[in-house]
Amino acid sequence: MTDRPVKKIFLDPDKEPLLHAAHSPSLLATLEANQVEVAYQCREGFCGACRAKLCRGKIAYNQEPLAFVRDGEILLCCSKPVTDVIIKLV
């Protein structure tokens, strides 16, 4: 179901998921709030340093990223989960 206010972010299938609240500005903000180290240079989708692999689920961009994003990759700084997601940090 996609209208739940909280989405689950799975980084490891053997661990508890992180919770992404609807008011959180991005996946990057949620990861930082949970003390997950993520490389980034901006929060606007320009550089691509926060690139991650989207293994399952759907995201939406707050704004379309200007950095090149390959199929199956996302930028954490400017995206939010639409569904529960499984991501792999690169």
Side-chain angles (χ1 to χ4, degrees):
M1 181 174 250
T2 60
D3 61 347
R4 286 181 294 141
V6 174
K7 305 296 187 269
K8 294 178 183 174
I9 303 169
F10 294 88
L11 298 173
D12 182 333
D14 297 328
K15 294 186 179 175
E16 287 294 314
L18 305 177
L19 300 179
H20 180 91
H23 66 273
S24 180
S26 67
L27 283 163
L28 177 60
T30 297
L31 294 172
E32 288 180 319
N34 285 277
Q35 289 77 46
V36 176
E37 285 192 42
V38 180
Y40 69 92
Q41 297 292 320
C42 76
R43 292 191 182 265
E44 304 295 325
F46 297 123
C47 72
C50 64
R51 176 178 321 272
K53 180 178 178 186
L54 179 64
C55 301
R56 186 174 296 154
K58 294 183 181 183
I59 60 99
Y61 283 108
N62 300 330
Q63 59 194 39
E64 200 59 36
L66 295 176
F68 176 74
V69 182
R70 293 179 186 92
D71 285 342
E73 290 183 337
I74 60 172
L75 296 183
L76 301 170
C77 70
C78 58
S79 63
K80 292 177 123 178
V82 175
T83 65
D84 293 346
V85 294
I86 299 173
I87 59 175
K88 181 177 181 182
L89 302 178
V90 290

